[in-house]
Amino acid sequence: MHKIHLFIKSFWLFGRHFDSSSGKHRFLFYLWNWGMLALASLATGLLSLLLSFGHYDWGVMWGFFAQPLIALLNLLPALLLILLLYCIIGRSWIAYIVGSVLVLSLSVANYFMLMFRDDPLMFSDIINVSTAMGVVDHYNLSIDKRLWFCVVLVIAATVLLALFARGNPGRGIIRVVVAAALVLLCIFPLRWLYTNSNVYNNKTQNYEHINRWSATQLFISKGYIYPFLYSITEAFPSVPENYDEEYAESLLAPFDDTDILEDKQVNVVTMMLESFTDMSGWDIEGLSEDVYAPYHALASESFTGTLVTNIFAGGTTDTERCFLTGYVKLENFRSNVNSYVWYLRNQGFSTGGSHPSYDWFYNRQNINSYLGLESYYFLENYYGALTDGAIAYDDVFFPELTQLLLEEFEREERSFTYNLNYQGHGPYSNDVLNWPQCVEDVGYSAETWYIINNYFGSLANTIENIDVMVEAFRDCEEPVVMLLFGDHKPWFGDSNSVYAELGINIDTSTEAGFYNYYSTSYLMWANDAAKKVLDNDFTGEGPTISSNFLMNLLFEQCNWTGSAWMQYTDQLMEAIPVVTSNGFYMTADGNFTTELDGENAQLLQDFEIVEYYRKNNFPY
């Protein structure tokens, strides 16, 4: 023990007092302190990599080192940040703990997002931090072995630095020079390296242990800190290749906003349903036919089809805002933006809607108004009073919404409302049955049985409430068209465990897996008064389309021509009815592809130019 004590003491003295000696010794002193801190910083970068692949195979981790550039690009930020903090603060252990907390906080948040929603944390998510914090309460944020290992290692490194690297980073001029050099390094060569698309897409390919067609897996194949920093480039609007404002105007020039004749106007009720999709075609063993029976009865008198979204198990507002705007690539809207809602508002429709959850969720309170919705009922300003401040589930939400809408229909003006429920929001309990049993126990694991019963029990209740709403509208003398659609597939267990146990293919490298992963359904129904006004029975099988074309299809069924933007996008829908932000397409001949060529490629390029022009030129 005495020898160990002397060993530790000698290291402590070396790290603390060696700077008062000769120039040679002073150099060794600086080398010792900087070197220990650099090693600790690299360890933090390695911990970030350890968390970066979430629930995926450990082979992803080893792949980082098979591609040394990936490892380098992930380790450098932690190293440079902590060394810069050392120059500023002057104490290695404080610089280390501050820098490590900054780096690993992001890595831990990303780790949980991957575990729960199979979705990485990108820079744009940081902008909506309040939404992210609001979601946290719904998930079990338990610390597992990997997280404990990170905590223990950071504490140990901090203690070692506090004991054995206590010296300052150098005299004043040295600190200034080193800090300036680190800043210049970040601003010039590294800034280019971390924002270069060729490096990101080609030089850091790491496909061996991932599905290259999965956006999430492509992200994690590059580590975490590096793709997170690269995502900054995607968080702000990027100008399309060959963008020219006059060219965009020329593409829109042949079209003019067309008025909706007063005698052809009807009340339009649109309803996005949380995690709603028709899974009856998957032949889930033990699932009661009663769950979907009322929905299928409604579908038999409606116009129905398949909707392809950009998202899976989360990201609700992507489907929502693609529908309301007709855009494929969305942004964090910070001011009024062109949308179909503004067009309808300009046509004399009142615009509004309801969502029985918090107004800050996805910043809807602000962004809904930017999209043109004049009034909106949330938990805070309406539904909370009915539930003692709790989020309203469908037995409260649907009857109340139905009554609100019927009262609005009695007014002389026509209305457009965009509404969404909350009830289907995951996760679903995996150890308590919260809804009536809908799936027999045919050998499922306990966790799967609870999850699917809670999901389908919730969904059955939603369908029952929809049925009651439809009957109220059926008897209404005012013309009503209703659109129902799902936002995305449901969360089915951490790491998609339930999908795996049910044997459902969600491999997006296959066509079947892609549709299982990204598709939901839409249904358009009209009461007799609306059918008479619009001269359409609203029945039949509709086409498979992406969410940005859903409003086009609704207008088509209403026999409305729509805005210049809608008429322009009608052309694209006819040629490429599925256009996603994930790079998946379906052409008019039903071909599923990730690459467009010829006329279709030109149509898409022109669309991106006009889309950018529309997002940045608000006329109303």
Side-chain angles (χ1 to χ4, degrees):
M1 289 296 294
H2 180 65
K3 290 182 178 181
I4 295 175
H5 173 73
L6 289 175
F7 180 78
I8 293 174
K9 185 176 181 180
S10 65
F11 269 75
W12 180 79
L13 290 171
F14 187 89
R16 181 175 176 82
H17 298 298
F18 217 4
D19 60 337
S20 61
S21 304
S22 66
K24 178 181 177 181
H25 288 167
R26 189 178 299 116
F27 171 77
L28 291 175
F29 161 79
Y30 290 140
L31 183 63
W32 170 265
N33 285 285
W34 282 91
M36 283 195 68
L37 183 58
L39 288 174
S41 303
L42 291 173
T44 293
L46 289 171
L47 292 179
S48 176
L49 285 176
L50 181 66
L51 299 174
S52 66
F53 56 94
H55 60 273
Y56 286 93
D57 190 271
W58 275 79
V60 178
M61 176 74 173
W62 313 135
F64 300 147
F65 301 97
Q67 297 285 343
L69 182 58
I70 294 177
L72 176 66
L73 290 170
N74 281 278
L75 297 178
L76 268 178
L79 175 64
L80 296 177
L81 173 63
I82 293 172
L83 293 183
L84 181 59
L85 288 172
Y86 184 38
C87 290
I88 297 170
I89 298 171
R91 289 290 181 267
S92 62
W93 70 273
I94 299 177
Y96 174 76
I97 193 68
V98 171
S100 294
V101 166
L102 289 173
V103 170
L104 294 180
S105 294
L106 291 172
S107 302
V108 169
N110 175 68
Y111 178 79
F112 280 121
M113 283 194 67
L114 288 173
M115 295 296 288
F116 296 135
R117 294 173 57 169
D118 196 35
D119 192 26
L121 179 75
M122 298 185 181
F123 182 79
S124 57
D125 299 315
I126 304 300
I127 299 172
N128 291 318
V129 65
S130 59
T131 292
M133 294 303 294
V135 173
V136 165
D137 291 340
H138 301 288
Y139 295 97
N140 177 23
L141 302 180
S142 58
I143 301 180
D144 64 13
K145 293 179 181 179
R146 252 192 288 176
L147 293 173
W148 276 122
F149 178 76
C150 292
V151 171
V152 170
L153 198 61
V154 169
I155 292 173
T158 303
V159 171
L160 287 172
L161 290 169
L163 289 175
F164 304 126
R166 294 171 59 85
N168 63 59
R171 304 188 188 282
I173 188 63
I174 295 176
R175 292 171 65 170
V176 172
V177 170
V178 174
L182 291 171
V183 171
L184 290 173
L185 183 64
C186 293
I187 291 176
F188 294 106
L190 290 184
R191 180 174 178 270
W192 172 87
L193 186 62
Y194 281 87
T195 59
N196 187 281
S197 60
N198 183 50
V199 173
Y200 189 84
N201 295 318
N202 300 317
K203 303 297 183 181
T204 56
Q205 290 183 359
N206 181 25
Y207 297 150
E208 185 176 355
H209 298 283
I210 60 109
N211 176 353
R212 63 183 297 181
W213 304 113
S214 165
T216 294
Q217 294 183 45
L218 275 176
F219 186 98
I220 68 166
S221 73
K222 303 174 190 298
Y224 177 63
I225 296 301
Y226 167 51
F228 172 81
L229 291 174
Y230 182 81
S231 73
I232 296 174
T233 65
E234 301 173 345
F236 303 99
S238 56
V239 180
E241 186 178 357
N242 301 321
Y243 178 75
D244 179 81
E245 186 168 313
E246 291 185 1
Y247 180 61
E249 291 173 345
S250 72
L251 292 171
L252 281 172
F255 310 101
D256 292 309
D257 285 2
T258 302
D259 291 335
I260 301 174
L261 298 178
E262 189 172 340
D263 62 351
K264 294 297 182 182
Q265 293 184 3
V266 299
N267 298 294
V268 179
V269 178
T270 67
M271 172 75 71
M272 189 169 75
L273 303 168
E274 176 65 46
S275 301
F276 186 95
T277 187
D278 187 350
M279 295 185 182
S280 59
W282 284 354
D283 192 26
I284 297 173
E285 193 173 0
L287 177 62
S288 170
E289 294 182 357
D290 293 339
V291 171
Y292 284 107
Y295 181 76
H296 291 158
L298 179 61
S300 67
E301 55 174 300
S302 304
F303 184 74
T304 62
T306 298
L307 185 70
V308 178
T309 71
N310 299 312
I311 53 177
F312 174 80
T316 297
T317 53
D318 187 277
T319 304
E320 170 181 306
R321 291 166 188 169
C322 284
F323 163 62
L324 294 174
T325 63
Y327 304 147
V328 174
K329 296 180 180 179
L330 299 174
E331 299 166 9
N332 182 37
F333 300 126
R334 306 297 298 171
S335 60
N336 288 349
V337 62
N338 276 313
S339 72
Y340 293 127
V341 182
W342 282 108
Y343 165 78
L344 288 165
R345 188 168 165 176
N346 199 44
Q347 291 295 307
F349 284 71
S350 64
T351 61
S354 284
H355 177 48
S357 185
Y358 301 101
D359 57 15
W360 51 259
F361 204 61
Y362 290 110
N363 196 25
R364 284 193 176 100
Q365 181 181 25
N366 296 314
I367 293 181
N368 280 2
S369 65
Y370 299 154
L371 293 170
L373 294 164
E374 296 172 275
S375 60
Y376 217 87
Y377 291 124
F378 292 103
L379 179 146
E380 289 88 347
N381 66 353
Y382 192 84
Y383 290 97
L386 308 175
T387 59
D388 293 327
I391 294 173
Y393 275 50
D394 288 350
D395 283 342
V396 173
F397 176 60
F398 273 91
E400 193 65 27
L401 175 61
T402 300
Q403 186 58 40
L404 287 171
L405 291 171
L406 289 174
E407 291 173 1
E408 187 160 344
F409 298 159
E410 291 177 359
R411 304 187 185 102
E412 292 184 3
E413 63 181 3
R414 296 300 181 212
S415 68
F416 168 87
T417 61
Y418 167 71
N419 314 279
L420 64 152
N421 70 338
Y422 178 87
Q423 180 166 290
H425 201 290
Y428 320 111
S429 176
N430 61 7
D431 57 7
V432 175
L433 195 61
N434 297 320
W435 296 91
Q437 181 178 331
C438 294
V439 185
E440 296 178 12
D441 190 352
V442 292
Y444 294 120
S445 66
E447 180 176 296
T448 290
W449 186 81
Y450 279 113
I451 288 174
I452 58 179
N453 267 290
N454 283 318
Y455 172 73
F456 286 114
S458 168
L459 185 141
N461 177 264
T462 297
I463 291 174
E464 290 171 3
N465 277 289
I466 290 171
D467 201 40
V468 173
M469 173 182 270
V470 167
E471 291 307 309
F473 293 163
R474 191 189 302 277
D475 297 334
C476 182
E477 294 182 359
E478 297 298 321
V480 181
V481 170
M482 185 167 68
L483 166 65
L484 304 173
F485 61 101
D487 56 352
H488 53 68
K489 282 293 198 298
W491 172 91
F492 261 6
D494 292 349
S495 307
N496 301 322
S497 59
V498 175
Y499 288 101
E501 187 169 336
L502 294 177
I504 297 170
N505 173 18
I506 54 172
D507 179 359
T508 56
S509 65
T510 66
E511 184 171 351
F514 168 79
Y515 284 111
N516 287 341
Y517 194 86
Y518 284 118
S519 69
T520 63
S521 53
Y522 64 83
L523 180 153
M524 299 180 192
W525 175 90
N527 67 3
D528 289 340
K531 291 177 181 179
K532 183 177 180 180
V533 169
L534 299 173
D535 193 25
N536 186 12
D537 63 4
F538 282 83
T539 59
E541 184 176 348
T544 297
I545 57 168
S546 48
S547 48
N548 59 297
F549 292 132
L550 186 55
M551 193 73 82
N552 297 65
L553 199 61
L554 175 62
F555 271 52
E556 182 180 293
Q557 287 297 300
C558 291
N559 289 315
W560 296 341
T561 303
S563 65
W565 165 247
M566 177 171 285
Q567 295 169 60
Y568 173 77
T569 55
D570 282 341
Q571 300 175 120
L572 182 67
M573 181 176 70
E574 184 177 344
I576 318 171
V578 171
V579 179
T580 74
S581 60
N582 301 315
F584 295 102
Y585 310 98
M586 187 190 77
T587 54
D589 57 5
N591 181 41
F592 168 80
T593 182
T594 57
E595 294 184 8
L596 297 171
D597 53 21
E599 185 177 346
N600 284 339
Q602 185 63 50
L603 280 172
L604 181 63
Q605 180 176 308
D606 287 349
F607 167 78
E608 291 173 347
I609 289 172
V610 178
E611 178 187 49
Y612 182 85
Y613 173 80
R614 284 270 303 177
K615 285 188 287 189
N616 291 277
N617 290 273
F618 181 75
Y620 297 114

